[in-house]
Amino acid sequence: MRSERDDHGRGDRIVGSIVDMAGVSRAKVLPIARSTSFVESGAGASPSWSVFCIDDHLAFTPAFSVVGDLRLRIVSDDVRDLGNGTYWAPACLTEQDGTPSLACTRGALRRVTERLASSGLTARVGSEIEFTLFGGVAVEEWAAYGLNAVLAQEEFLGRLLAAAATAELPIEQVHAEAGLNQFEVSLAPADAVRAADDAVLARALISRVARTLGLRASFSPMPVAGGSGNGAHQHVSFAEGGRPLLSGGPGPHGLTEAGGAAVAGILRALPDVTAVLAGSALSHLRLRPGMWSGAYRCWGLENREAAVRLCADTAGNPHGANLEIKAVDPSANPYLGTAAILGAAHDGILGAHPLPDEVSVNPAELTGADAVDVLPTLPSDVLGALRSSSLAQDLFGPAIVEALLAVKEYEHSRYRDEPVDEVAQRFRFAWTP
Ligand code: GLU
Ligand code: MG
């Protein structure tokens, strides 16, 4: 932990942030000399932080109102140097006496990893961060995965990689995506909580570097109506006693029985947690067939339209076999999104759910009895599934589900029937830290 001796007279400061139910990072800043206090006492945060909506409306509920105080406490062993005297650490929400708050989404993810551990399981998570740059000198030449695209923004990319090295953010690769000025950054896999922290940090760094160049980064699921969506795909893998569950087994493509049950558990739970993974009032514009957003509720080896894409263990896959969950978009709280996926997989493993048949073609081609369901996108279906989900109650606890429902119900009732181009424009930078 840095102390006042390190201030250098330049106003060094430490930022602690959490992510709310709308997927927005909210922060407090303390002078670096007060870091110890930020760890041990925390900074005040009203319980209403949990019911901020995307437009800063407060969707009060019985448990989240104007009364009470929580503390935002930074995690002392995860302080990152963002440069220019700014340090960042993920924060937890606690009660005033220091006990964890039931509204803490980071805590919810930690509890899910502890449950996995109690079954002898570990999980690794790698995040893909898609974003779209706006402003600056207009870029007109752009090809998906284009060399022209990465050269057009080489100053941005260079600064981002330098900032990532300083902040110990493990960027593995960057490429241009299909949309104009759309990029993807892939992060190395890590333990689940660290991976979610990294996803939050990645957005902060991308946004910060963009600002230094007069650009703005959008993390909206649909920055321009009718354009390319931004995803926040998560790659997950599991091991038991050091042995991977997704390779080396007797099942299809080397899945073990437990690995197959994990796939089944995720597929089973996806409708229940779509509100968590892709629950904003813009998410339905992206979560559709043909968008490579995993809208079809099925799995398949390297199937990019499947909700669960199995990436098998090959020489081209140095981190080993994993499952890519594509439905997740950047409006999702990364802690809750990962908790949902890992918790669903664990549920599948505990229940020894059978692996459904693989879909090895574009699911859009399957009709009649073979047709594959798509994930829900109607507000009544998405919110109804969360409301009646015993899995969500079990994974997140009633307080988080209450806050999630209040926020998502408001956002959908307020914005789903508005013209999509206006809503997309209004919230283009709503998830930009
Ligand atoms: N942009 C797509 C999405 O919204 C993903 C494209 C890809 O497969 O990387 O999820
Ligand atoms: Mg991508």
Side-chain angles (χ1 to χ4, degrees):
M1 182 58 58
R2 295 169 59 82
S3 73
E4 58 206 305
R5 284 193 305 278
D6 303 310
D7 181 73
H8 306 300
R10 63 182 181 185
D12 282 8
R13 66 219 83 93
I14 183 147
V15 182
S17 68
I18 58 150
V19 186
D20 70 11
M21 308 301 163
V24 174
S25 286
R26 301 198 189 257
K28 288 244 166 157
V29 184
L30 269 67
I32 198 79
R34 299 203 64 236
S35 298
T36 303
S37 174
F38 212 170
V39 174
E40 292 174 0
S41 309
S46 158
S48 63
W49 276 37
S50 293
V51 288
F52 267 127
C53 301
I54 196 61
D55 57 3
D56 280 352
H57 170 82
L58 284 164
F60 289 127
T61 73
F64 299 98
S65 72
V66 295
V67 179
D69 184 52
L70 297 175
R71 310 301 294 177
L72 205 70
R73 292 184 181 213
I74 58 166
V75 180
S76 63
D77 56 5
D78 198 11
V79 178
R80 316 282 187 104
D81 182 356
L82 305 195
N84 283 336
T86 299
Y87 295 83
W88 172 85
C92 299
L93 273 179
T94 71
E95 302 292 337
Q96 285 180 323
D97 66 5
T99 54
S101 162
L102 296 175
C104 181
T105 64
R106 194 173 185 274
L109 175 56
R110 183 168 296 291
R111 283 195 300 279
V112 169
T113 64
E114 286 165 359
R115 284 188 189 186
L116 283 162
S118 69
S119 301
L121 300 169
T122 54
R124 305 277 286 170
V125 180
S127 304
E128 295 181 7
I129 313 278
E130 290 187 340
F131 59 98
T132 311
L133 294 175
F134 288 83
V137 178
V139 173
E140 279 157 15
E141 285 156 39
W142 192 269
Y145 307 100
L147 177 60
N148 59 355
V150 287
L151 294 181
Q153 294 291 9
E154 66 178 333
E155 179 65 25
F156 168 80
L157 296 177
R159 289 193 196 190
L160 177 60
L161 294 180
T166 305
E168 296 173 63
L169 178 73
I171 291 182
E172 289 216 315
Q173 61 160 297
V174 186
H175 66 256
E177 270 291 339
L180 182 66
N181 268 321
Q182 187 186 29
F183 286 98
E184 175 182 318
V185 166
S186 317
L187 303 183
D191 291 347
V193 176
R194 173 82 178 195
D197 291 341
D198 281 346
V200 174
L201 173 64
R203 289 178 198 151
L205 286 184
I206 290 164
S207 167
R208 200 157 177 264
V209 169
R211 284 198 182 100
T212 63
L213 291 165
L215 302 165
R216 291 181 84 193
S218 169
F219 298 93
S220 166
M222 189 53 66
V224 177
S228 290
N230 283 318
H233 309 176
Q234 292 192 11
H235 291 255
V236 299
S237 63
F238 305 92
E240 184 172 15
R243 276 178 294 109
L245 297 190
L246 302 174
S247 59
H253 315 294
L255 286 173
T256 65
E257 208 164 305
V263 174
I266 293 169
L267 288 174
R268 190 164 184 253
L270 274 173
D272 283 25
V273 295
T274 298
V276 177
L277 305 182
S280 77
L282 286 167
S283 296
H284 66 289
L285 299 172
R286 164 186 173 270
L287 193 59
R288 289 187 285 128
M291 300 290 280
W292 295 37
S293 56
Y296 286 102
R297 191 181 176 193
C298 61
W299 75 278
L301 179 69
E302 296 295 356
N303 191 332
R304 286 181 162 78
E305 279 286 272
V308 179
R309 167 188 170 206
L310 172 63
C311 306
D313 184 29
T314 67
N317 197 1
H319 295 301
N322 61 81
L323 306 174
E324 183 189 31
I325 316 304
K326 294 172 87 74
V328 195
D329 77 37
S331 71
N333 175 315
Y335 301 100
L336 294 183
T338 304
I341 293 165
L342 300 187
H346 189 211
D347 192 54
I349 293 169
L350 292 178
H353 292 304
L355 178 68
D357 288 342
E358 178 178 6
V359 171
S360 48
V361 297
N362 183 345
E365 292 167 13
L366 300 175
T367 54
D370 296 331
V372 179
D373 289 345
V374 289
L375 296 178
T377 52
L378 284 176
S380 52
D381 293 342
V382 175
L383 300 175
L386 176 64
R387 198 178 298 111
S388 56
S389 172
S390 52
L391 182 72
Q393 289 286 343
D394 184 43
L395 293 178
F396 308 135
I400 286 177
V401 173
E402 179 178 320
L404 268 171
L405 280 170
V407 168
K408 303 296 174 191
E409 275 166 0
Y410 166 81
E411 292 184 1
H412 284 276
S413 67
R414 174 71 185 78
Y415 295 109
R416 268 296 280 268
D417 296 330
E418 298 291 309
V420 289
D421 46 351
E422 285 171 27
V423 181
Q425 189 173 0
R426 171 161 182 185
F427 295 116
R428 184 170 293 157
F429 301 109
W431 295 275
T432 300

